[in-house]
């Protein structure tokens, strides 16, 4: 399959008054269309920096990033959806109005897009809550609403930065299952950053293991489960433990 994004020898350092912090060093990997790439690494190793580079928010100091074979620049950026640890829903707006917000800002609140939003709300169990305020929803439902708010903008690429880490364990498992299932059904290309190995193995078709800072790619592990399995079912599959252990060992060589 043709690569959507390709990183070639990408390095990045932050420059502050206190000096230089090399965050990422000679990173190589690619993301194909419909990939779900999970990136794992210890805290502070440059995972969020990598997402900022992917989105074009930061530019590499060395190396190149290509999008569909062309150098990534402000003019050819693909449309990107972000999902973060905090859902950033506005309490003074209903769920529906929160979901419309991005469309309003882009002046794309058309009949067609509204219908698409309603379809997503129905499909993913939030239609009855469309007039509710965010505080009336559980943490998992709020993250689903945040994902729908992103999906209505029809992004080419979704970037997820530790989207479940603010949730309690049980909710976290269920939300991970929900979000993985939704993204597969909507045929999205996604890059997830996490420090949770189980999350990476249950969602990704490829796990990129980063070393501690400066982040380098230690290893890329292809993940292969029966495509019919949901993220939750993957956790119970026989191969799961092997993938988990492989990645765990690789990460702990650092410590
Ligand atoms: P991660 O997401 O893996 O925890 P980050 O990408 O946020 O790591 O950060 C990587 C390194 O770069 C860290 O050591 C962090 O302190 C440093 N860093 C991040 N953002 C900045 C910044 N704006 N200015 C200076 N240093 C930064
Ligand atoms: Mg981070």
């Amino acid at each position: 399959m043709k690569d959507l994004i390709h990183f070639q020898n990408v390095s990045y350092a932050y420059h502050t008054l206190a000096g230089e912090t090399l965050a990422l060093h000679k990173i190589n990997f690619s993301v194909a269309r419909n990939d779900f790439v999970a990136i794992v690494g210890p805290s502070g190793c440059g995972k969020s920096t990598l997402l900022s580079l992917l989105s074009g928010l930061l530019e590499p100091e060395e190396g190149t990033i290509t999008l569909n074979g062309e150098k990534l620049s402000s003019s050819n950026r693909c449309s990107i959806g972000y999902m973060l640890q905090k859902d950033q829903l506005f309490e003074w707006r209903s769920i529906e109005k929160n979901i419309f917000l991005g469309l309003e800002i882009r002046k794309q609140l058309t009949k067609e897009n509204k219908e698409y939003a309603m379809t997503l709300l129905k499909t993913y169990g939030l239609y009855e809550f469309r007039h509710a305020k965010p505080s009336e929803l559980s943490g998992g439902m709020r993250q689903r609403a945040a994902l729908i708010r992103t999906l209505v903008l029809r992004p080419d690429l979704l970037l997820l930065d530790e989207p479940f880490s603010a949730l309690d364990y049980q909710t976290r498992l269920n939300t991970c299952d929900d979000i993985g299932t939704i993204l597969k059904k909507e045929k999205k290309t996604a890059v997830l950053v996490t420090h949770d190995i189980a999350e990476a193995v249950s969602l990704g078709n490829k796990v990129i293991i980063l070393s501690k800072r400066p982040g380098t790619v230690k290893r890329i592990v292809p993940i292969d489960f029966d495509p019919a399995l949901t993220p939750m079912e993957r956790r119970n599959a026989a191969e799961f433990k092997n993938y988990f252990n492989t990645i765990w060992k690789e990460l702990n060589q650092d410590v």
Side-chain angles (χ1 to χ4, degrees):
M1 212 186 296
K2 224 178 143 252
D3 289 343
L4 176 65
I5 286 163
H6 184 68
F7 269 55
Q8 194 170 17
N9 288 327
V10 171
S11 300
Y12 189 85
Y14 290 99
H15 300 272
T16 61
L17 288 176
E20 189 187 87
T21 309
L22 183 57
L24 294 166
H25 183 63
K26 292 200 189 296
I27 300 286
N28 290 290
F29 72 94
S30 48
V31 181
R33 237 170 246 290
N34 295 330
D35 255 355
F36 198 126
V37 175
I39 298 173
V40 295
S43 152
C45 76
K47 301 184 294 299
S48 296
T49 305
L50 204 146
L51 290 190
S52 299
L53 287 162
L54 263 169
S55 68
L57 234 55
L58 296 176
E59 278 183 41
E61 290 200 323
E62 267 177 54
T64 47
I65 304 174
T66 54
L67 173 70
N68 289 316
E70 281 177 42
K71 193 166 180 279
L72 182 68
S73 69
S74 50
S75 59
N76 72 347
R77 269 190 218 176
C78 59
S79 84
I80 294 210
Y82 253 107
M83 201 171 153
L84 308 167
Q85 193 173 328
K86 280 205 68 201
D87 56 49
Q88 319 280 2
L89 295 170
F90 292 117
E91 183 53 31
W92 42 275
R93 287 189 151 226
S94 65
I95 291 302
E96 176 184 283
K97 290 259 162 64
N98 266 290
I99 285 167
F100 288 163
L101 185 62
L103 292 169
E104 276 172 31
I105 292 169
R106 295 184 185 194
K107 300 204 176 4
Q108 292 173 353
L109 195 57
T110 59
K111 187 164 167 280
E112 190 204 350
N113 283 334
K114 275 187 182 173
E115 276 169 12
Y116 180 44
M118 291 304 132
T119 306
L120 289 169
L121 283 168
K122 279 181 195 151
T123 312
Y124 302 118
L126 287 176
Y127 188 72
E128 283 71 42
F129 295 90
R130 66 193 185 283
H131 300 309
K133 290 278 155 56
S135 60
E136 297 172 62
L137 269 60
S138 69
M141 289 162 88
R142 291 177 65 124
Q143 276 304 50
R144 250 186 288 149
L147 180 64
I148 294 173
R149 182 191 51 194
T150 305
L151 291 177
V152 289
L153 303 173
R154 302 174 209 266
D156 299 320
L157 175 67
L158 266 154
L159 304 180
L160 305 116
D161 197 346
E162 315 226 12
F164 316 119
S165 41
L167 304 171
D168 65 76
Y169 183 69
Q170 200 63 36
T171 310
R172 190 175 172 145
L173 282 182
N174 288 324
T175 309
C176 171
D177 196 49
D178 285 345
I179 304 293
T181 306
I182 296 172
L183 292 180
K184 195 158 105 185
K185 200 154 168 235
E186 302 295 324
K187 295 193 168 51
K188 288 293 168 191
T189 309
V191 178
L192 163 82
V193 151
T194 178
H195 56 250
D196 184 321
I197 302 174
E199 215 166 84
V201 177
S202 67
L203 289 171
N205 64 307
K206 181 156 130 181
V207 175
I208 298 178
I209 306 170
L210 296 182
S211 69
K212 64 173 192 265
R213 195 178 65 78
T216 56
V217 176
K218 292 190 80 177
R219 186 159 158 196
I220 298 180
V221 181
I223 306 285
D224 190 20
F225 285 97
D226 172 352
L229 297 186
T230 64
M232 194 74 93
E233 288 164 348
R234 279 190 182 194
R235 290 177 193 252
N236 297 315
E239 313 92 298
F240 189 85
K241 216 168 119 193
N242 289 341
Y243 286 128
F244 186 99
N245 288 338
T246 305
I247 296 166
W248 191 84
K249 271 187 205 143
E250 197 74 56
L251 279 171
N252 281 277
Q253 276 176 4
D254 256 5
V255 184

